[in-house]
Amino acid sequence: MKVLILGGTGVISRAIVPLLLERGHDVTVFNRGQRAQAPAGVRVMLGDRADREGFRATMQAEKFDVVIDMIAFTEDDARSTVKTFRGRVEQIIVCSSSSAYQRPYRTIPVQEDAEALCEDPVFPYSFNKAQIERYLQALIRDEGLPITIIRPSLTFGPGAAGFGVLRQNYGVIDRIRRGKPLVMFGDGKNPWSFTFAPDLAVAFAGAVGNRRTYGQHYHATNEARTAWQDLYLEAGRVLGVEPRLFFLPADLLYRAAPTLCAHLHFEKSYPGLFDNSKIRRDIPEFAPRIDLHAGLTTLFAWFEAESRAIDPEKEALEDRLHGIHRGLGEQVANLYTR
Protein backbone atom coordinates (compact mmCIF):
# COMPACT_ATOMS: atom_id res chain seq x y z
CA MET A 1 0.00 0.00 0.00
CA LYS A 2 1.04 3.62 -0.48
CA VAL A 3 1.47 4.99 3.03
CA LEU A 4 2.01 8.63 3.97
CA ILE A 5 3.40 9.41 7.43
CA LEU A 6 2.94 12.94 8.70
CA GLY A 7 6.09 13.31 10.77
CA GLY A 8 8.23 10.28 10.14
CA THR A 9 11.38 11.23 12.07
CA GLY A 10 10.25 11.15 15.71
CA VAL A 11 10.97 8.44 18.26
CA ILE A 12 8.03 6.25 17.24
CA SER A 13 8.08 7.13 13.54
CA ARG A 14 11.73 6.09 13.21
CA ALA A 15 10.68 2.57 14.10
CA ILE A 16 7.48 2.54 12.02
CA VAL A 17 9.12 3.57 8.73
CA PRO A 18 11.58 0.65 8.38
CA LEU A 19 8.94 -1.85 9.47
CA LEU A 20 6.55 -0.62 6.78
CA LEU A 21 9.34 -0.91 4.21
CA GLU A 22 10.11 -4.43 5.42
CA ARG A 23 6.46 -5.34 4.88
CA GLY A 24 6.56 -4.12 1.30
CA HIS A 25 4.71 -0.82 1.60
CA ASP A 26 5.50 2.27 -0.47
CA VAL A 27 6.39 4.88 2.19
CA THR A 28 6.38 8.68 2.00
CA VAL A 29 7.10 10.99 4.94
CA PHE A 30 6.05 14.63 5.21
CA ASN A 31 7.90 16.91 7.62
CA ARG A 32 9.97 20.08 7.91
CA GLY A 33 13.28 18.26 7.41
CA GLN A 34 14.66 19.37 10.77
CA ARG A 35 15.35 15.99 12.34
CA ALA A 36 16.77 12.60 11.34
CA GLN A 37 17.16 11.55 7.73
CA ALA A 38 14.70 9.03 6.32
CA PRO A 39 16.11 5.61 5.39
CA ALA A 40 16.80 4.63 1.80
CA GLY A 41 13.70 3.80 -0.18
CA VAL A 42 11.54 6.43 1.53
CA ARG A 43 10.19 9.41 -0.36
CA VAL A 44 10.55 12.66 1.60
CA MET A 45 8.19 15.61 1.15
CA LEU A 46 9.25 18.80 2.89
CA GLY A 47 6.66 21.20 4.23
CA ASP A 48 4.93 22.57 7.31
CA ARG A 49 1.55 21.17 8.24
CA ALA A 50 0.83 24.40 10.13
CA ASP A 51 0.47 26.03 6.70
CA ARG A 52 -3.02 24.58 6.35
CA GLU A 53 -3.83 25.75 2.85
CA GLY A 54 -0.38 25.00 1.50
CA PHE A 55 -0.47 21.54 3.07
CA ARG A 56 -3.86 20.78 1.58
CA ALA A 57 -2.88 22.07 -1.85
CA THR A 58 0.26 19.94 -1.84
CA MET A 59 -1.63 16.80 -0.91
CA GLN A 60 -4.36 17.34 -3.49
CA ALA A 61 -1.84 16.37 -6.15
CA GLU A 62 -0.91 13.14 -4.34
CA LYS A 63 -2.52 9.73 -4.00
CA PHE A 64 -2.14 7.53 -0.93
CA ASP A 65 -3.96 4.53 0.47
CA VAL A 66 -3.27 5.16 4.15
CA VAL A 67 -2.24 8.26 6.11
CA ILE A 68 -0.59 7.95 9.52
CA ASP A 69 -0.68 11.24 11.44
CA MET A 70 2.07 11.18 14.07
CA ILE A 71 2.08 14.94 14.69
CA ALA A 72 -1.53 15.78 15.55
CA PHE A 73 -1.26 17.73 18.80
CA THR A 74 -4.41 19.86 18.61
CA GLU A 75 -7.94 19.42 17.36
CA ASP A 76 -7.14 21.85 14.56
CA ASP A 77 -4.32 19.52 13.43
CA ALA A 78 -6.75 16.61 13.29
CA ARG A 79 -9.36 18.66 11.45
CA SER A 80 -6.74 19.61 8.87
CA THR A 81 -5.83 15.96 8.30
CA VAL A 82 -9.46 14.89 7.91
CA LYS A 83 -10.27 17.82 5.64
CA THR A 84 -7.26 17.08 3.45
CA PHE A 85 -7.66 13.30 3.09
CA ARG A 86 -11.33 12.59 3.71
CA GLY A 87 -12.73 10.47 0.85
CA ARG A 88 -9.29 10.27 -0.78
CA VAL A 89 -7.65 7.52 1.31
CA GLU A 90 -8.78 4.15 2.54
CA GLN A 91 -7.75 4.77 6.15
CA ILE A 92 -6.48 7.48 8.50
CA ILE A 93 -4.44 6.37 11.51
CA VAL A 94 -3.92 8.98 14.24
CA CYS A 95 -1.36 8.80 17.03
CA SER A 96 -3.03 9.90 20.25
CA SER A 97 -1.69 9.22 23.77
CA SER A 98 -2.65 7.28 26.87
CA SER A 99 -2.44 10.63 28.63
CA ALA A 100 -5.76 11.47 26.96
CA TYR A 101 -7.53 9.32 29.56
CA GLN A 102 -9.22 11.02 32.48
CA ARG A 103 -7.42 10.47 35.80
CA PRO A 104 -7.99 8.68 38.10
CA TYR A 105 -8.69 5.66 35.93
CA ARG A 106 -11.85 3.61 36.25
CA THR A 107 -10.00 0.34 35.58
CA ILE A 108 -6.54 -1.04 36.39
CA PRO A 109 -5.07 -2.36 34.16
CA VAL A 110 -6.74 0.24 31.97
CA GLN A 111 -9.35 -0.98 29.48
CA GLU A 112 -10.07 1.37 26.56
CA ASP A 113 -13.83 1.11 26.41
CA ALA A 114 -14.29 1.57 30.16
CA GLU A 115 -12.43 4.89 30.37
CA ALA A 116 -13.39 8.53 29.83
CA LEU A 117 -11.32 11.19 28.09
CA CYS A 118 -9.59 14.04 29.92
CA GLU A 119 -11.85 17.03 30.53
CA ASP A 120 -9.54 19.35 32.47
CA PRO A 121 -7.42 21.79 30.39
CA VAL A 122 -4.96 22.35 33.24
CA PHE A 123 -2.53 19.91 31.55
CA PRO A 124 -2.77 21.05 27.92
CA TYR A 125 -1.04 18.08 26.30
CA SER A 126 -3.53 15.57 27.71
CA PHE A 127 -6.53 17.82 27.16
CA ASN A 128 -5.59 18.56 23.55
CA LYS A 129 -5.13 14.85 22.78
CA ALA A 130 -8.54 14.21 24.33
CA GLN A 131 -10.08 16.98 22.22
CA ILE A 132 -8.61 15.36 19.10
CA GLU A 133 -10.19 12.07 20.07
CA ARG A 134 -13.59 13.58 20.81
CA TYR A 135 -13.58 15.08 17.32
CA LEU A 136 -12.41 11.87 15.63
CA GLN A 137 -14.70 9.59 17.57
CA ALA A 138 -17.69 11.74 16.62
CA LEU A 139 -16.76 11.27 12.95
CA ILE A 140 -16.44 7.53 13.48
CA ARG A 141 -19.78 7.33 15.29
CA ASP A 142 -21.79 9.67 13.08
CA GLU A 143 -20.24 9.11 9.66
CA GLY A 144 -18.43 5.80 9.91
CA LEU A 145 -15.13 7.26 8.71
CA PRO A 146 -12.30 4.67 8.52
CA ILE A 147 -10.20 6.20 11.28
CA THR A 148 -7.96 4.24 13.65
CA ILE A 149 -6.73 5.81 16.91
CA ILE A 150 -3.65 4.41 18.67
CA ARG A 151 -2.60 5.63 22.13
CA PRO A 152 1.02 4.99 23.08
CA SER A 153 2.12 5.32 26.66
CA LEU A 154 5.61 6.56 27.56
CA THR A 155 7.81 5.24 24.75
CA PHE A 156 11.61 5.36 24.44
CA GLY A 157 13.96 4.84 21.54
CA PRO A 158 16.60 6.60 19.42
CA GLY A 159 15.57 10.23 19.08
CA ALA A 160 14.13 10.30 22.62
CA ALA A 161 13.58 13.84 23.84
CA GLY A 162 12.04 13.09 27.22
CA PHE A 163 14.00 10.41 29.08
CA GLY A 164 14.14 10.72 32.86
CA VAL A 165 12.04 12.30 35.57
CA LEU A 166 13.22 15.78 34.56
CA ARG A 167 13.55 14.76 30.91
CA GLN A 168 17.31 14.98 31.26
CA ASN A 169 18.17 12.51 28.49
CA TYR A 170 21.97 12.02 28.49
CA GLY A 171 22.10 13.92 31.78
CA VAL A 172 20.79 10.79 33.53
CA ILE A 173 23.78 8.77 32.31
CA ASP A 174 26.20 11.51 33.28
CA ARG A 175 24.82 11.87 36.81
CA ILE A 176 24.88 8.12 37.44
CA ARG A 177 28.48 7.86 36.25
CA ARG A 178 29.57 10.80 38.39
CA GLY A 179 27.73 9.55 41.46
CA LYS A 180 25.42 12.57 41.49
CA PRO A 181 21.94 12.05 42.98
CA LEU A 182 18.90 11.70 40.75
CA VAL A 183 15.47 12.89 41.82
CA MET A 184 12.63 10.37 41.77
CA PHE A 185 9.03 11.42 42.30
CA GLY A 186 6.87 9.99 45.07
CA ASP A 187 8.36 6.87 46.64
CA GLY A 188 9.42 5.57 43.22
CA LYS A 189 7.09 2.59 43.47
CA ASN A 190 4.25 3.77 41.26
CA PRO A 191 3.75 0.90 38.76
CA TRP A 192 4.53 1.59 35.13
CA SER A 193 5.17 -0.31 31.90
CA PHE A 194 7.94 1.33 29.86
CA THR A 195 7.52 0.83 26.11
CA PHE A 196 10.19 0.82 23.41
CA ALA A 197 9.60 2.11 19.90
CA PRO A 198 10.25 -1.06 17.85
CA ASP A 199 7.54 -2.89 19.81
CA LEU A 200 5.08 -0.04 19.40
CA ALA A 201 5.78 0.19 15.67
CA VAL A 202 4.17 -3.24 15.27
CA ALA A 203 0.86 -1.74 16.39
CA PHE A 204 0.93 1.01 13.76
CA ALA A 205 2.19 -1.24 10.97
CA GLY A 206 -0.35 -3.89 11.92
CA ALA A 207 -3.19 -1.38 11.66
CA VAL A 208 -2.31 -0.35 8.08
CA GLY A 209 -5.07 -1.61 5.79
CA ASN A 210 -6.40 -3.81 8.61
CA ARG A 211 -10.18 -3.43 8.39
CA ARG A 212 -10.67 -4.81 11.89
CA THR A 213 -9.06 -1.60 13.16
CA TYR A 214 -11.25 0.82 11.18
CA GLY A 215 -13.36 2.90 13.53
CA GLN A 216 -11.52 1.59 16.59
CA HIS A 217 -9.35 3.10 19.32
CA TYR A 218 -6.60 1.30 21.20
CA HIS A 219 -3.78 1.81 23.61
CA ALA A 220 -0.56 -0.03 22.79
CA THR A 221 2.03 -0.43 25.54
CA ASN A 222 4.56 -2.76 27.06
CA GLU A 223 3.08 -5.25 29.52
CA ALA A 224 6.01 -5.71 31.91
CA ARG A 225 5.14 -4.78 35.48
CA THR A 226 7.83 -2.42 36.73
CA ALA A 227 7.93 0.66 38.96
CA TRP A 228 9.22 4.12 38.19
CA GLN A 229 12.36 3.73 40.29
CA ASP A 230 13.20 0.65 38.21
CA LEU A 231 13.91 2.99 35.30
CA TYR A 232 16.96 4.39 37.14
CA LEU A 233 17.91 1.18 38.95
CA GLU A 234 18.04 -0.67 35.63
CA ALA A 235 19.91 2.23 34.06
CA GLY A 236 22.54 1.72 36.75
CA ARG A 237 22.78 -1.97 35.89
CA VAL A 238 23.28 -1.13 32.22
CA LEU A 239 26.03 1.34 33.13
CA GLY A 240 27.57 -0.82 35.86
CA VAL A 241 27.16 1.92 38.49
CA GLU A 242 24.62 1.91 41.31
CA PRO A 243 22.54 5.12 41.07
CA ARG A 244 21.92 7.40 44.02
CA LEU A 245 18.25 8.35 44.27
CA PHE A 246 16.41 10.86 46.41
CA PHE A 247 12.66 11.23 46.56
CA LEU A 248 10.31 14.22 46.44
CA PRO A 249 6.51 14.33 46.03
CA ALA A 250 5.29 14.96 42.48
CA ASP A 251 3.17 17.91 43.56
CA LEU A 252 6.24 19.65 45.04
CA LEU A 253 8.22 19.04 41.86
CA TYR A 254 5.32 20.50 39.89
CA ARG A 255 5.35 23.60 42.10
CA ALA A 256 9.12 23.91 41.70
CA ALA A 257 9.07 23.58 37.89
CA PRO A 258 5.46 23.69 36.60
CA THR A 259 6.18 23.32 32.91
CA LEU A 260 8.85 20.65 33.28
CA CYS A 261 7.09 18.55 35.92
CA ALA A 262 3.44 18.83 34.91
CA HIS A 263 3.60 15.36 33.36
CA LEU A 264 4.59 13.90 36.75
CA HIS A 265 1.80 15.55 38.67
CA PHE A 266 -1.05 15.08 36.20
CA GLU A 267 -0.11 11.81 34.49
CA LYS A 268 2.83 9.81 35.84
CA SER A 269 1.58 9.74 39.45
CA TYR A 270 -1.18 7.34 38.37
CA PRO A 271 -0.46 3.67 37.56
CA GLY A 272 0.73 3.16 33.99
CA LEU A 273 -0.63 -0.35 33.51
CA PHE A 274 -2.74 -1.13 30.43
CA ASP A 275 -4.75 -4.11 29.24
CA ASN A 276 -3.74 -4.86 25.64
CA SER A 277 -6.50 -7.42 25.03
CA LYS A 278 -8.34 -5.23 22.52
CA ILE A 279 -5.36 -4.46 20.28
CA ARG A 280 -4.12 -8.05 20.51
CA ARG A 281 -7.54 -9.17 19.28
CA ASP A 282 -7.34 -7.04 16.14
CA ILE A 283 -3.55 -6.96 15.63
CA PRO A 284 -2.41 -10.38 16.92
CA GLU A 285 1.24 -9.76 16.01
CA PHE A 286 1.41 -6.96 18.58
CA ALA A 287 3.31 -8.62 21.43
CA PRO A 288 5.88 -6.34 23.12
CA ARG A 289 9.14 -8.22 23.72
CA ILE A 290 11.76 -5.58 24.59
CA ASP A 291 12.45 -5.57 28.32
CA LEU A 292 13.76 -2.62 30.28
CA HIS A 293 17.40 -3.74 30.25
CA ALA A 294 17.54 -4.38 26.51
CA GLY A 295 15.63 -1.19 25.70
CA LEU A 296 17.86 1.01 27.85
CA THR A 297 21.00 -0.59 26.42
CA THR A 298 19.92 0.43 22.91
CA LEU A 299 18.80 3.89 24.03
CA PHE A 300 22.03 4.62 25.89
CA ALA A 301 24.09 3.57 22.88
CA TRP A 302 22.20 6.19 20.86
CA PHE A 303 22.74 8.81 23.57
CA GLU A 304 26.46 8.07 23.55
CA ALA A 305 26.72 8.24 19.77
CA GLU A 306 24.47 11.15 18.88
CA SER A 307 23.01 12.98 21.87
CA ARG A 308 25.64 13.71 24.50
CA ALA A 309 24.51 17.23 25.35
CA ILE A 310 23.59 17.98 28.96
CA ASP A 311 20.97 20.64 29.69
CA PRO A 312 22.65 23.01 32.20
CA GLU A 313 19.31 24.31 33.52
CA LYS A 314 18.05 20.82 34.34
CA GLU A 315 21.41 19.93 35.83
CA ALA A 316 21.29 22.99 38.09
CA LEU A 317 17.66 22.32 39.03
CA GLU A 318 18.44 18.76 40.08
CA ASP A 319 21.35 19.95 42.19
CA ARG A 320 19.13 22.54 43.89
CA LEU A 321 16.40 19.96 44.52
CA HIS A 322 18.92 17.63 46.11
CA GLY A 323 20.19 20.45 48.32
CA ILE A 324 16.63 21.16 49.50
CA HIS A 325 16.00 17.46 50.11
CA ARG A 326 19.22 17.10 52.11
CA GLY A 327 18.42 20.19 54.16
CA LEU A 328 14.89 18.99 54.87
CA GLY A 329 16.24 15.61 55.96
CA GLU A 330 18.59 17.27 58.43
CA GLN A 331 15.77 19.40 59.84
CA VAL A 332 13.53 16.38 60.32
CA ALA A 333 16.34 14.38 61.95
CA ASN A 334 16.92 17.23 64.41
CA LEU A 335 13.27 17.62 65.45
CA TYR A 336 13.64 15.53 68.57
CA THR A 337 17.22 16.38 69.41
CA ARG A 338 16.68 20.01 70.29
Side-chain angles (χ1 to χ4, degrees):
M1 304 185 82
K2 294 190 67 175
V3 182
L4 170 68
I5 301 180
L6 304 182
T9 58
V11 176
I12 300 170
S13 299
R14 291 188 195 199
I16 296 173
V17 169
L19 184 55
L20 290 176
L21 291 174
E22 181 182 312
R23 295 187 177 193
H25 296 290
D26 182 335
V27 182
T28 299
V29 298
F30 176 90
N31 55 59
R32 294 175 295 173
Q34 297 180 344
R35 300 183 71 176
Q37 297 295 315
V42 175
R43 178 188 174 201
V44 178
M45 299 178 66
L46 297 180
D48 188 349
R49 72 166 305 159
D51 175 9
R52 304 301 190 199
E53 293 307 314
F55 172 67
R56 189 178 184 202
T58 296
M59 292 304 167
Q60 288 298 313
E62 302 290 335
K63 174 62 179 175
F64 300 101
D65 299 306
V66 177
V67 173
I68 304 177
D69 191 345
M70 300 299 297
I71 50 174
F73 297 108
T74 67
E75 183 180 341
D76 192 46
D77 288 339
R79 287 182 178 275
S80 171
T81 297
V82 172
K83 182 178 180 181
T84 300
F85 297 105
R86 178 188 200 133
R88 301 183 58 246
V89 298
E90 180 179 324
Q91 179 191 24
I92 297 174
I93 301 173
V94 177
C95 182
S96 182
S97 169
S98 64
S99 72
Y101 290 125
Q102 181 71 30
R103 267 72 167 179
Y105 298 115
R106 297 172 177 175
T107 54
I108 296 291
V110 176
Q111 300 172 25
E112 295 95 325
D113 295 322
E115 297 297 327
L117 293 171
C118 174
E119 297 180 351
D120 190 345
V122 66
F123 184 31
Y125 178 80
S126 294
F127 181 71
N128 286 334
K129 285 291 190 179
Q131 290 290 84
I132 288 172
E133 290 211 31
R134 275 186 271 270
Y135 164 67
L136 295 175
Q137 291 188 31
L139 292 176
I140 292 169
R141 180 186 64 245
D142 299 339
E143 303 180 34
L145 292 189
I147 296 170
T148 302
I149 300 169
I150 298 180
R151 305 181 187 109
S153 181
L154 181 60
T155 304
F156 299 131
F163 178 75
V165 170
L166 299 182
R167 303 183 185 275
Q168 308 100 307
N169 279 14
Y170 184 78
V172 172
I173 296 175
D174 182 71
R175 291 186 75 90
I176 291 176
R177 283 179 170 160
R178 291 196 290 152
K180 297 191 71 174
L182 287 158
V183 66
M184 177 55 59
F185 67 97
D187 63 0
K189 296 179 181 178
N190 188 48
W192 201 271
S193 295
F194 299 99
T195 307
F196 292 90
D199 279 339
L200 179 58
V202 176
F204 283 89
V208 170
N210 181 347
R211 292 184 176 275
R212 289 173 296 183
T213 70
Y214 294 8
Q216 296 293 335
H217 57 95
Y218 311 92
H219 46 242
T221 77
N222 202 320
E223 297 173 344
R225 299 301 189 247
T226 51
W228 258 94
Q229 67 177 3
D230 292 330
L231 184 67
Y232 285 170
L233 296 178
E234 197 61 48
R237 296 186 187 101
V238 171
L239 298 170
V241 181
E242 184 174 355
R244 296 173 57 199
L245 306 184
F246 66 99
F247 301 84
L248 287 172
D251 62 328
L252 291 185
L253 291 172
Y254 173 57
R255 289 168 63 185
T259 300
L260 184 61
C261 296
H263 70 111
L264 302 176
H265 181 63
F266 294 109
E267 180 188 3
K268 306 300 192 312
S269 294
Y270 298 91
L273 304 179
F274 299 88
D275 182 346
N276 282 330
S277 298
K278 184 177 180 182
I279 195 166
R280 282 179 174 270
R281 178 197 71 195
D282 294 341
I283 307 176
E285 66 265 37
F286 178 71
R289 297 180 175 86
I290 302 174
D291 65 22
L292 191 55
H293 187 89
L296 291 181
T297 299
T298 299
L299 178 62
F300 289 0
W302 181 80
F303 280 149
E304 297 279 11
E306 300 188 36
S307 182
R308 295 179 63 91
I310 296 172
D311 186 325
E313 293 184 7
K314 292 176 184 176
E315 179 75 1
L317 172 63
E318 197 148 19
D319 288 340
R320 290 198 300 271
L321 289 171
H322 181 247
I324 292 170
H325 178 269
R326 184 177 60 246
L328 179 61
E330 293 171 355
Q331 292 181 47
V332 171
N334 291 332
L335 278 177
Y336 293 101
T337 60
R338 295 174 180 172

